[in-house]
Amino acid sequence: GGNEAVARDRSPVIVAHEFPGRITQLAREATAAGLLAVGDLVTAEGHVVCGHCDSVVRVPHDRLEQAPRCPKCRAELFSGETIALRTASFDKHASRDDLLLVIDVWAPWCGPCRMMAPAYAQAAQQLEPMLRLAKLGTEAAQELAAGYSIRSIPTLALFKGGREIARQAGAMSASNITAWARHHAGLA
């Protein structure tokens, strides 16, 4: 068909005139932010990594908001909850998911991390399916956190195509997390 080419950087791209509602608005915002150029050849589907079984699932963009399920484990791909990352699953979620990934790097002993946890969960409900939100515990993933030079927690990091594109240290409210993520994802 007419939409079967590969996007330049595997970012989540949408053909604005084909999908109604919120998806069309996201495409307009992405175009305005320079993430999608008019006339770009894109696929009409993308890859989403299941937060339950880590399977890579192909999902048509027009179905992102229709509660798609993982064909392997049957769990909802977008539950409005954060994904608990492990060292073994981090690379797959950061590089194989076509949606941008926001990661909260935290520790269970960290007071500000525990204080921010409900706000981060609320932001996940507001930002899915535009963005994926995940948590990475430094206790279980010390080498991974050190490899990204995480010096303080909580720290939010935004990943696109396996590369970190933004970082913010310190506890934030749900509205500030949402605004920060939307701004750095080019959706503000």
Side-chain angles (χ1 to χ4, degrees):
N3 295 334
E4 296 177 5
V6 178
R8 289 182 297 242
D9 60 1
R10 294 187 32 119
S11 60
V13 287
I14 329 162
V15 180
H17 67 276
E18 290 189 5
F19 306 117
R22 191 165 165 206
I23 299 298
T24 300
Q25 181 60 34
L26 292 175
R28 286 188 186 122
E29 291 174 5
T31 302
L35 299 174
L36 176 64
V38 174
D40 273 354
L41 296 175
V42 296
T43 61
E45 58 189 22
H47 295 99
V48 175
V49 180
C50 178
H52 300 277
C53 71
D54 300 327
S55 294
V56 179
V57 181
R58 190 176 297 194
V59 180
H61 289 295
D62 62 343
R63 290 203 52 235
L64 288 176
E65 294 189 44
Q66 297 175 4
R69 293 189 170 272
C70 174
K72 183 174 180 182
C73 72
R74 306 301 300 153
E76 286 187 26
L77 291 174
F78 302 109
S79 61
E81 298 176 2
T82 61
I83 299 168
L85 294 180
R86 304 169 314 283
T87 301
S89 64
F90 173 83
D91 284 334
K92 186 180 274 189
H93 283 270
S95 63
R96 298 283 310 275
D97 201 316
D98 289 336
L99 300 175
L100 276 69
L101 177 67
V102 180
I103 299 175
D104 172 20
V105 183
W106 70 289
W109 50 262
C110 167
C113 296
R114 290 194 318 264
M115 184 179 73
M116 188 176 88
Y120 193 70
Q122 184 180 357
Q125 293 174 344
Q126 295 171 359
L127 291 169
E128 276 195 351
M130 295 181 292
L131 303 170
R132 299 287 275 182
L133 276 75
K135 294 179 76 73
L136 179 68
T138 58
E139 297 292 303
Q142 291 179 4
E143 289 182 23
L144 185 58
Y148 280 96
S149 301
I150 301 296
R151 305 223 189 294
S152 64
I153 51 174
T155 292
L156 295 183
L158 179 65
F159 285 82
K160 176 182 181 180
R163 293 187 327 249
E164 182 180 342
I165 61 172
R167 181 183 290 201
Q168 175 69 44
M172 297 167 44
S173 67
S175 62
N176 286 343
I177 293 167
T178 301
W180 177 85
R182 288 179 60 81
H183 171 75
H184 289 287
L187 300 173

